[in-house]
Amino acid sequence: MPIDIDLLLSAYAHGIFPMADSREDKESFWVEPKHRAILPLDGFHVSKSLAKTIRQDRFVVTCDRGFAGVIRLCAESTEGRQETWINSDIEDAFLRLHHLGLAHSVECWVEGRMVGGLYGLAMGRAFFGESMFSRATDASKVAMAWLVARMKLGGFELLDCQFITEHLQSLGAIEISQKHYLDLLEVALADLRSQVSTVASPSPLVASSSAGAGGAAAGALSAGADWGALDRLLADSSLGSSTGVSAPGKLILHSLTQTS
């Protein structure tokens, strides 16, 4: 059954998210874990090898260039992950959120082939990371580095990773209680809550977006944050003189080392 977008946004605003038991499962269920994984933006860990990969721009990194492909590859089973929790209803819901300008992806490419990436939902000053994939060494780590840099430059405060894994821990993710998470979420959504009367019922925004005004929904539901700040900086012709760096990877490393 298709997931209602209003209900989905309300769930995320209250610390709840959907999952399925497998890719083929026809049913989705709501999850509110007792412990939550987050990645503090100033705590992102860049190893020497990862820094070298980023600095040398081994991947061409883009944003929202291949959202559908990212979520499809995240949902695929692999040798180390036989089952995934992204069923067709969840995939469809996030494709609709992307169409509304609310869900985003980061992609890593090598010679025109997508080899890594991640996707999630941006709302207020929070980014709810959903899933990532990698088909080349360090591809998902580079995608995460670009995401963290984008969030820091755009004024985001909370990067939700849902559940802790060794991979996320190696990048600096920590596990906190759901109560602590909800406190952080309340702060991250404060600007949003002050702009709209209730996150639980953004129906007018969704309705106007479906009529071709997706930017209005994205702007309202991402109140306080600026998803496109990194894009403008990368496009700035005076990049080299203004920041002391000229290559994309060097800019990302520069951004990661700046404290908020």
Side-chain angles (χ1 to χ4, degrees):
M1 176 181 296
I3 299 174
D4 181 78
I5 294 299
D6 285 12
L7 177 62
L8 185 61
L9 294 173
S10 176
Y12 277 95
H14 291 86
I16 304 169
F17 54 89
M19 294 186 73
D21 285 326
S22 70
R23 173 67 167 161
E24 291 73 27
D25 196 347
K26 301 299 183 183
E27 300 292 331
S28 304
F29 56 89
W30 299 103
V31 180
E32 186 179 14
K34 293 182 179 180
H35 297 91
R36 200 75 172 235
I38 66 167
L39 203 162
L41 298 183
D42 286 335
F44 183 75
H45 176 66
V46 183
S47 65
K48 289 183 179 179
S49 61
L50 178 58
K52 182 178 180 180
T53 298
I54 296 172
R55 187 181 303 110
Q56 294 179 343
D57 290 313
R58 295 183 187 175
F59 301 103
V60 174
V61 185
T62 58
C63 173
D64 292 337
R65 187 78 59 83
F67 186 91
V70 170
I71 192 170
R72 175 178 54 80
L73 288 167
C74 284
E76 279 187 359
S77 61
T78 62
E79 184 176 345
R81 185 179 62 175
Q82 296 302 313
E83 293 289 353
T84 67
W85 54 268
I86 306 169
N87 66 5
S88 59
D89 285 343
I90 293 173
E91 181 178 13
D92 172 72
F94 269 87
L95 288 172
R96 284 182 282 146
L97 286 172
H98 177 63
H99 177 71
L100 294 173
L102 303 174
H104 302 281
S105 61
V106 177
E107 309 93 14
C108 291
W109 309 79
V110 173
E111 297 180 350
R113 183 172 70 93
M114 191 190 301
V115 295
L118 57 83
Y119 79 96
L121 168 67
M123 192 160 60
R125 293 183 183 270
F127 186 82
F128 306 89
E130 289 295 298
S131 188
M132 62 175 65
F133 79 96
S134 183
R135 299 293 187 270
T137 302
D138 284 344
S140 62
K141 292 181 180 181
V142 170
M144 183 65 82
W146 278 69
L147 172 66
V148 172
R150 179 177 292 275
M151 290 180 66
K152 293 185 69 172
L153 288 167
F156 285 82
E157 298 178 356
L158 177 62
L159 174 48
D160 171 26
C161 301
Q162 297 184 346
F163 297 109
I164 198 72
T165 65
E166 290 186 7
H167 180 64
L168 289 171
Q169 280 184 311
S170 72
L171 296 175
I174 61 174
E175 190 174 61
I176 62 175
S177 69
Q178 179 73 349
K179 182 181 184 304
H180 186 190
Y181 171 79
L182 290 175
D183 290 340
L184 295 176
L185 182 61
E186 181 69 23
V187 173
L189 299 184
D191 293 333
L192 172 60
R193 296 187 194 282
S194 66
Q195 180 162 327
V196 294
S197 58
T198 171
V199 178
S201 300
S203 303
L205 296 175
V206 175
S208 65
S209 298
S210 63
L221 290 181
S222 59
D226 184 355
W227 180 259
L230 175 60
D231 300 317
R232 292 192 300 276
L233 189 55
L234 288 170
D236 187 350
S237 60
S238 61
L239 180 62
S241 58
S242 63
T243 67
V245 293
S246 56
K250 291 181 180 179
L251 170 62
I252 295 304
L253 290 175
H254 178 79
S255 302
L256 292 174
T257 58
Q258 302 305 301
T259 56
S260 301

